[in-house]
Amino acid sequence: MSTLYKYNKLLPASSYYSIIDLNTNLKVIDFDTVATKLSADDTSSYFRLYMNGLEPERYYKILVKTTVNGSTIIFDNNYFFKVING
Protein backbone atom coordinates (compact mmCIF):
# COMPACT_ATOMS: atom_id res chain seq x y z
CA MET A 1 0.00 0.00 0.00
CA SER A 2 1.22 3.51 -0.85
CA THR A 3 0.52 6.81 0.87
CA LEU A 4 1.02 10.47 -0.01
CA TYR A 5 2.40 11.05 3.49
CA LYS A 6 5.22 8.52 3.23
CA TYR A 7 7.91 11.09 2.50
CA ASN A 8 9.03 14.08 4.53
CA LYS A 9 8.26 17.54 3.15
CA LEU A 10 11.25 19.65 4.09
CA LEU A 11 12.16 22.94 2.48
CA PRO A 12 15.84 23.77 1.87
CA ALA A 13 17.79 25.11 4.86
CA SER A 14 17.85 28.58 3.28
CA SER A 15 14.08 29.18 3.68
CA TYR A 16 12.45 32.16 5.38
CA TYR A 17 8.98 33.55 6.06
CA SER A 18 7.41 37.00 5.77
CA ILE A 19 4.09 38.31 7.11
CA ILE A 20 1.89 40.75 5.16
CA ASP A 21 -0.90 42.82 6.77
CA LEU A 22 -3.80 42.40 4.35
CA ASN A 23 -5.50 45.60 5.53
CA THR A 24 -2.53 47.77 4.48
CA ASN A 25 -0.77 45.30 2.14
CA LEU A 26 2.50 46.11 3.95
CA LYS A 27 5.11 43.67 5.22
CA VAL A 28 4.97 43.68 9.00
CA ILE A 29 7.69 41.03 9.18
CA ASP A 30 10.15 40.99 6.29
CA PHE A 31 12.36 38.11 5.20
CA ASP A 32 15.44 37.97 7.43
CA THR A 33 18.24 35.40 7.25
CA VAL A 34 18.30 35.07 11.05
CA ALA A 35 14.97 36.14 12.58
CA THR A 36 12.60 34.52 10.05
CA LYS A 37 14.58 31.40 9.14
CA LEU A 38 12.37 28.29 9.00
CA SER A 39 13.08 25.44 11.38
CA ALA A 40 12.68 21.74 10.61
CA ASP A 41 12.00 18.54 12.50
CA ASP A 42 11.87 14.93 11.31
CA THR A 43 8.75 15.47 9.20
CA SER A 44 8.37 19.08 8.09
CA SER A 45 9.52 22.69 8.03
CA TYR A 46 7.89 25.15 10.44
CA PHE A 47 8.24 28.48 12.22
CA ARG A 48 7.07 29.99 15.48
CA LEU A 49 5.36 33.35 15.29
CA TYR A 50 5.06 35.62 18.31
CA MET A 51 1.81 37.53 17.86
CA ASN A 52 2.43 40.36 20.35
CA GLY A 53 3.32 42.87 17.60
CA LEU A 54 0.34 42.06 15.37
CA GLU A 55 -2.92 44.00 15.45
CA PRO A 56 -5.98 42.09 16.69
CA GLU A 57 -8.98 41.59 14.40
CA ARG A 58 -6.82 41.79 11.27
CA TYR A 59 -5.93 39.30 8.58
CA TYR A 60 -2.36 38.47 7.65
CA LYS A 61 -0.76 36.47 4.84
CA ILE A 62 2.31 34.22 5.02
CA LEU A 63 4.95 34.21 2.28
CA VAL A 64 7.83 31.74 2.11
CA LYS A 65 11.13 32.45 0.36
CA THR A 66 13.61 29.72 -0.48
CA THR A 67 16.54 29.02 -2.77
CA VAL A 68 16.47 25.94 -5.03
CA ASN A 69 19.33 25.17 -7.42
CA GLY A 70 20.59 28.76 -7.15
CA SER A 71 17.19 30.33 -7.92
CA THR A 72 15.25 32.31 -5.32
CA ILE A 73 11.54 31.49 -5.18
CA ILE A 74 8.84 33.28 -3.17
CA PHE A 75 5.77 31.14 -2.53
CA ASP A 76 2.45 32.95 -2.18
CA ASN A 77 -0.03 30.14 -1.68
CA ASN A 78 -2.70 32.38 -0.12
CA TYR A 79 -2.06 31.17 3.43
CA PHE A 80 -4.04 33.57 5.63
CA PHE A 81 -4.68 33.85 9.34
CA LYS A 82 -6.58 36.25 11.58
CA VAL A 83 -5.43 37.58 14.96
CA ILE A 84 -8.39 37.67 17.34
CA ASN A 85 -8.91 39.32 20.72
CA GLY A 86 -8.35 36.64 23.31
Side-chain angles (χ1 to χ4, degrees), residues 18-30 49 53-63 79-83:
S18 177
I19 304 295
I20 309 291
D21 181 333
L22 290 178
N23 191 38
T24 63
N25 208 34
L26 296 174
K27 287 184 181 178
V28 292
I29 301 174
D30 205 354
L49 179 62
L54 301 178
E55 292 292 323
E57 301 306 318
R58 291 192 71 171
Y59 287 92
Y60 296 89
K61 177 167 49 171
I62 302 168
L63 302 177
Y79 294 134
F80 301 101
F81 66 94
K82 181 180 180 182
V83 176

Side-chain angles (χ1 to χ4, degrees), residues 60-79:
Y60 296 89
K61 177 167 49 171
I62 302 168
L63 302 177
V64 174
K65 179 170 111 174
T66 192
T67 302
V68 177
N69 297 326
S71 296
T72 300
I73 304 166
I74 296 178
F75 294 99
D76 181 355
N77 291 345
N78 291 320
Y79 294 134

Side-chain angles (χ1 to χ4, degrees), residues 2-10 43:
S2 166
T3 176
L4 293 174
Y5 303 102
K6 182 177 178 181
Y7 303 102
N8 295 345
K9 303 294 183 189
L10 299 175
T43 59

Side-chain angles (χ1 to χ4, degrees), residues 7 20 38 51 85:
Y7 303 102
I20 309 291
L38 295 182
M51 311 282 252
N85 283 323

